[in-house]
């Protein structure tokens, strides 16, 4: 398989995974609201975003402590537990109640437990990706119906700045990244670039996340200079709420960018933080739920023009990010992805006849 084909397949799979998270979230918006999963009393309160960001910082600190004292299994247990919980929310809404015990959908419960078992016993890359899509869609939908337009826009903006600082400024995510990647849990989306790749290989975490070359097991040593903490999400993956941040250590050297790009293509897989898919999708889901303009008649999913704009803007940002990854240009994910989502949303909102103030939720 030549490099061009590998690039096209890797980019195509990454886009497909992002679209799966976005479309899944749109399909879950109405069922989650009707099921009473809105997590705040006032979704238009902008302080909700600040409270969540505070939780992210606390959660990050706690996870760094667990890694420092060699109890990373606590993180793995937490993430698998959260995976089961979010999967249960999703399956309970989508799987028909064929067999019930009391009010419990037995089939949905069994499917959620199976997700946890697969992560524990056989965390191959496709198991991680499928679980990540389910968790990401569920998390984005939960936050989408819980964050009104202004809080959602504020959340995306704050997290984009935080991501940039953690990548280009501080290095506080380095230890967290190295510890979490080795656990093989759904905090990243795994994109193989070779048919022989197996995430079960002990050295499989030697890859690239958002353009950052990892310094995990089996990789070359060097002076790691930045980490991509790929943003937080609801009970999903990254460094938010009940789950860790999807980060990867970066090994930036003074090598020529073209050479870095060649090195990236020589690796067996790319790793994209799950939060990079989830956080911009929060705005997609929020726009679809809270706006009643430009409604599009699409089966199964809730969709309007502003939400479609946010979706397309996210994909545009993703393509730019992938270009940088494959060219060996380290870059924080959320500034591009959230920036694209916000820009696309505003274009769609204005095209639907909303004023700028209304589009911003003011």
């Amino acid at each position: 398989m030549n490099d061009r084909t590998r690039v096209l397949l890797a980019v195509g799979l990454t886009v497909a995974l992002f679209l799966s998270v976005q479309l899944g979230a749109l399909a879950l918006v109405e069922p989650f609201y009707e099921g009473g999963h809105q997590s705040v009393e006032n979704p238009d309160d902008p302080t909700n975003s600040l409270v969540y960001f505070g939780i992210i910082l606390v959660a990050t600190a706690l996870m760094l402590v667990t890694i420092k004292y060699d109890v990373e299994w606590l993180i793995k247990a937490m993430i698998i537990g959260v995976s089961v919980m979010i999967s249960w929310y999703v399956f309970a809404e989508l799987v028909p109640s064929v067999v019930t015990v009391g009010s419990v959908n037995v089939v949905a419960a069994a499917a959620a437990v199976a997700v946890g078992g697969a992560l524990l016993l056989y965390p191959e890359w496709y198991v991680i990706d499928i679980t990540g899509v389910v968790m990401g869609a569920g998390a984005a939908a939960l936050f989408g119906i819980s964050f009104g337009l202004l809080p959602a826009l504020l959340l995306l903006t704050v997290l984009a700045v935080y991501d940039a600082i953690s990548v280009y400024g501080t290095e506080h995510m380095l230890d967290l990244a190295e510890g979490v990647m080795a656990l093989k849990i759904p905090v990243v989306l795994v994109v193989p670039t070779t048919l022989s790749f197996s995430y079960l290989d002990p050295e499989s975490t030697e890859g690239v996340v958002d353009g950052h070359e990892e310094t995990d097991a089996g990789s070359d040593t060097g002076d790691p200079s930045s980490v991509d903490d790929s943003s937080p999400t609801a009970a999903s993956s990254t460094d938010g709420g009940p789950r860790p941040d999807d980060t990867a250590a970066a090994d930036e050297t003074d090598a020529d960018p073209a050479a870095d790009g060649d090195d990236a293509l020589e690796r067996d897989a790319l790793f994209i933080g799950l939060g990079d898919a989830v956080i911009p999708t929060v705005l997609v889901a929020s726009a679809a739920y809270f706006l009643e303009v430009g409604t599009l008649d699409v089966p199964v999913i809730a969709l309007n023009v502003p939400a479609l704009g946010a979706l397309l803007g996210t994909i545009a940002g993703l393509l730019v990010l992938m270009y940088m990854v494959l060219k060996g240009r380290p870059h924080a994910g959320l500034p591009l992805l959230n920036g694209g989502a916000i820009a696309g949303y505003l274009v769609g909102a204005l095209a639907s006849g909303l004023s700028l103030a209304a589009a911003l939720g003011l």
Side-chain angles (χ1 to χ4, degrees), residues 13-100:
L13 178 55
T14 305
V15 171
L17 290 171
F18 269 63
L19 285 174
S20 296
V21 170
Q22 293 174 315
L23 296 178
L26 291 171
L28 290 167
V29 162
E30 291 296 339
F32 272 10
Y33 178 74
E34 293 172 359
H37 294 306
Q38 194 173 56
S39 59
V40 298
E41 292 184 3
N42 181 11
D44 293 322
D45 185 354
T47 61
N48 293 336
S49 300
L50 300 180
V51 170
Y52 177 68
F53 181 64
I55 293 173
I56 290 169
L57 297 179
V58 172
T60 300
L62 291 175
M63 286 183 287
L64 287 171
V65 170
T66 63
I67 291 174
K68 179 179 180 180
Y69 290 99
D70 295 324
V71 286
E72 295 95 332
W73 62 268
L74 289 174
I75 297 177
K76 184 169 186 175
M78 178 180 65
I79 297 304
I80 292 179
V82 168
S83 301
V84 172
M85 180 184 71
I86 296 297
S87 297
W88 158 246
Y89 285 164
V90 172
F91 295 146
E93 298 299 335
L94 300 182
V95 177
S97 300
V98 178
V99 181
T100 60

Side-chain angles (χ1 to χ4, degrees), residues 177-210:
E178 292 177 346
V180 167
M181 287 297 295
L183 295 177
K184 292 183 171 52
I185 48 180
V187 296
V188 293
L189 296 172
V190 185
V191 183
T193 60
T194 65
L195 296 177
S196 61
F197 174 77
S198 173
Y199 200 39
L200 301 178
D201 187 331
E203 295 186 355
S204 63
T205 52
E206 181 185 356
V208 176
V209 179
D210 289 357

Side-chain angles (χ1 to χ4, degrees), residues 68-359:
K68 179 179 180 180
Y69 290 99
D70 295 324
V71 286
E72 295 95 332
W73 62 268
L74 289 174
I75 297 177
K76 184 169 186 175
M78 178 180 65
I79 297 304
I80 292 179
V82 168
S83 301
V84 172
M85 180 184 71
I86 296 297
S87 297
W88 158 246
Y89 285 164
V90 172
F91 295 146
E93 298 299 335
L94 300 182
V95 177
S97 300
V98 178
V99 181
T100 60
V101 175
S103 60
V104 176
N105 183 333
V106 174
V107 177
V113 172
V115 166
L119 289 174
L120 184 62
L121 301 175
Y122 194 75
E124 185 54 277
W125 66 267
Y126 47 83
V127 173
I128 297 295
D129 284 351
I130 292 172
T131 304
V133 167
V134 173
M135 290 176 62
L142 287 170
F143 273 76
I145 64 175
S146 300
F147 282 69
L149 297 173
L150 179 58
L153 289 167
L154 180 60
L155 179 69
L156 266 66
T157 301
V158 170
L159 293 182
V161 173
Y162 173 70
D163 195 25
I165 291 173
S166 68
V167 171
Y168 306 123
T170 70
E171 299 177 5
H172 66 280
M173 289 291 178
L174 179 58
D175 291 336
L176 178 60
E178 292 177 346
V180 167
M181 287 297 295
L183 295 177
K184 292 183 171 52
I185 48 180
V187 296
V188 293
L189 296 172
V190 185
V191 183
T193 60
T194 65
L195 296 177
S196 61
F197 174 77
S198 173
Y199 200 39
L200 301 178
D201 187 331
E203 295 186 355
S204 63
T205 52
E206 181 185 356
V208 176
V209 179
D210 289 357
H212 295 281
E213 185 176 337
E214 289 189 331
T215 58
D216 225 23
S219 63
D220 294 335
T221 58
D223 293 329
S225 59
S226 66
V227 175
D228 174 16
D229 72 74
S230 290
S231 60
T233 55
S236 165
S237 75
T238 58
D239 126 279
R243 59 239 136 54
D245 198 346
D246 47 326
T247 61
D251 180 14
E252 287 189 75
T253 67
D254 295 329
D256 179 71
D260 288 343
D262 291 340
D263 184 63
L265 290 176
E266 289 173 2
R267 296 182 180 274
D268 292 331
L270 305 178
F271 300 91
I272 305 296
L274 180 58
D276 285 346
V278 174
I279 292 301
T281 304
V282 171
L283 179 59
V284 175
S286 178
Y289 179 72
F290 288 101
L291 290 179
E292 297 182 358
V293 294
T295 302
L296 300 174
D297 186 15
V298 181
V300 182
I301 64 174
L303 187 63
N304 54 34
V305 173
L308 179 61
L311 185 154
L312 295 176
T314 302
I315 298 302
L318 173 63
L319 293 176
V320 174
L321 179 62
M322 292 297 292
Y323 176 81
M324 291 180 170
V325 168
L326 296 171
K327 288 295 183 181
R329 300 175 184 176
H331 203 290
L334 290 186
L336 285 170
L337 295 162
N338 288 3
I342 292 172
Y345 161 74
L346 290 176
V347 170
L350 295 176
S352 298
L354 288 177
S355 65
L356 181 59

